[in-house]
Amino acid sequence: MTRIHVPDAHRLHPGYAHPVLRRWQSGPDVDPSQLVYPIFVVDDSDARQEINGMPGQYRWGVNRLEEALSSAVADGLRSVLLFGVPSGDKDAAASHADGPDSPVISALRRLRELFPDLYLITDICLCAYTDHGHCCLFGEHGRMDNEATIQRLAGIAVSYAGAGANMVAPSDMMDGRIRSIKQGLREAALGDTPVMSYSAKFASCFYGPFREAAHSIPTFGDRHAYQLPVAARGLALRAIDRDIAEGADFVMVKPAGPYLDIIREARNRVHVPVACYQVSGECAMIHHAAAAGSFELRAAVHESIDAFRRAGADVFITYFAPDLLRWKR
Ligand code: PB1
């Protein structure tokens, strides 16, 4: 057979034959300030509790937050996302979310002392604090009360912003919560607190380890009535548009890996930074597969973050943030 001639215009190898060129082809690297580390805080001030199903992650007491974060902050961590995990005191109104001894409020005050420059984001939701484990309040007919819930969420956002949160991030998926939270912050003279909306948040099975960590498994039913159907592209884009229209300063796609298409569409659609959340189940998958010898942990983590970056994400919420910063060092 005669030798095939490949025209120069079809020859791609020269463009990535060298590591320098492969770097050129891959776009800018992730800056440490683009990483956000989710962290769990509990009522027991001296706690350091391992989390089954989330290798390397712990529930921390306020007195152990320096131990939890000092190394990552020294490596360049700029931002954390706080999740409160109460030991008890759960009720239908999620009262402990912003009560006087709220774990999040205590953590905000301690972190402000420990790391004055650390950017503190608080998750805003009810599920860890309600006795039914849902992200909403229920009305007298036992149905989800969306309007009562968004009012409650606004109150929690005001409490957290007043206690020192730099940003609030509602993960509840109620309709109209961005407008409600923005109004509540404004009326409390906290209107300069930015809101990152979990706009495109899907009813994913990949939250399993988190629900174990946060003791936030619903006592009945599921969250499919308010988290997006996993294959619902149109609803995700409508939710993003709506939240922007209501004043969201940032939007998020969650989970990240199985939703790269939504990240890309969000990036092309909006003019605000797009965050993605590599959730507990995604991290657990990578950990367990690496432990089983399927691939090298560091390579898999970097590849996942590169995929989010290629899809257009600007902010990366990931439990691997401390690892990425340590490896970068
Ligand atoms: O890492 C994770 O799995 C995140 C889970 C996420 C936190 N925002 C929620 C998912 C869920 O349990 O439905 C918590 C919802 N407020």
Side-chain angles (χ1 to χ4, degrees):
M1 184 178 129
T2 54
R3 280 175 67 81
I4 300 291
H5 167 67
V6 178
D8 287 345
H10 294 188
R11 290 180 178 278
L12 303 185
H13 291 166
Y16 59 99
H18 189 281
V20 168
L21 302 186
R22 289 193 283 273
R23 188 77 208 81
W24 291 5
Q25 298 282 3
S26 303
D29 204 353
V30 172
D31 182 89
S33 63
Q34 293 175 275
L35 295 171
V36 178
Y37 181 40
I39 185 166
F40 299 94
V41 286
V42 294
D43 291 321
D44 174 357
S45 301
D46 297 316
R48 177 179 180 270
Q49 305 163 352
E50 283 198 24
I51 300 172
N52 298 330
M54 294 181 76
Q57 304 304 315
Y58 299 85
R59 299 184 199 89
W60 295 94
V62 170
N63 294 343
R64 306 284 292 265
L65 287 174
E66 185 168 18
E67 174 188 344
L69 292 172
S70 53
S71 177
V73 171
D75 285 343
L77 182 70
R78 296 298 309 277
S79 177
V80 293
L81 174 57
L82 296 178
F83 290 97
V85 183
S87 47
D89 316 334
K90 298 195 177 191
D91 61 21
S95 309
H96 194 36
D98 56 351
D101 53 353
S102 147
V104 171
I105 290 176
S106 306
L108 284 167
R109 294 188 172 129
R110 182 69 179 128
L111 288 172
R112 190 54 73 217
E113 292 167 9
L114 288 169
F115 309 110
D117 297 330
L118 190 60
Y119 196 78
L120 306 179
I121 307 170
T122 54
D123 180 81
I124 305 290
C125 196
L126 307 187
C127 53
Y129 303 94
T130 50
D131 49 11
H132 45 67
H134 279 280
C135 305
C136 62
L137 302 179
F138 289 95
E140 71 265 12
H141 303 296
R143 299 165 69 102
M144 176 168 61
D145 189 335
N146 185 84
E147 276 64 11
T149 303
I150 62 175
Q151 193 165 358
R152 179 76 183 98
L153 292 165
I156 295 169
V158 167
S159 299
Y160 290 175
N166 294 106
M167 173 184 286
V168 295
S171 65
D172 54 285
M173 290 306 284
M174 295 298 115
D175 288 332
R177 87 262 213 222
I178 302 305
R179 182 190 306 276
S180 176
I181 288 171
K182 278 286 193 179
Q183 179 179 322
L185 289 169
R186 189 173 58 252
E187 289 173 355
L190 293 163
D192 59 348
T193 306
V195 178
M196 177 189 289
S197 178
Y198 288 66
S199 300
K201 173 175 177 175
F202 295 85
S204 173
C205 68
F206 292 110
Y207 304 144
F210 175 97
R211 292 181 182 172
E212 173 66 34
H215 308 317
S216 59
I217 298 169
T219 55
F220 64 90
D222 55 37
R223 296 186 177 146
H224 292 192
Y226 47 89
Q227 293 177 349
L228 302 178
V230 296
R233 170 179 171 270
L235 274 173
L237 300 181
R238 287 178 64 194
I240 289 167
D241 293 345
R242 176 203 56 197
D243 290 357
I244 293 280
E246 292 190 1
D249 300 281
F250 305 91
V251 296
M252 188 200 303
V253 176
K254 175 189 174 189
Y259 298 86
L260 296 180
D261 58 324
I262 304 297
I263 294 174
R264 172 45 60 194
E265 290 214 59
R267 174 65 287 148
N268 294 344
R269 191 178 188 88
V270 302
H271 301 293
V272 301
V274 174
C276 66
Y277 194 143
Q278 184 177 39
V279 300
S280 56
E282 295 180 76
C283 295
M285 275 196 304
I286 292 174
H287 264 293
H288 295 315
S294 303
F295 42 61
E296 204 258 328
L297 177 73
R298 180 168 175 169
V301 173
H302 276 116
E303 185 170 341
S304 68
I305 300 296
D306 282 345
F308 308 154
R309 181 167 60 83
R310 188 192 64 243
D314 304 289
V315 179
F316 309 87
I317 302 169
T318 175
Y319 301 96
F320 289 120
D323 305 289
L324 287 158
L325 293 165
R326 187 176 65 254
W327 293 332
K328 199 175 181 74
R329 175 176 20 109

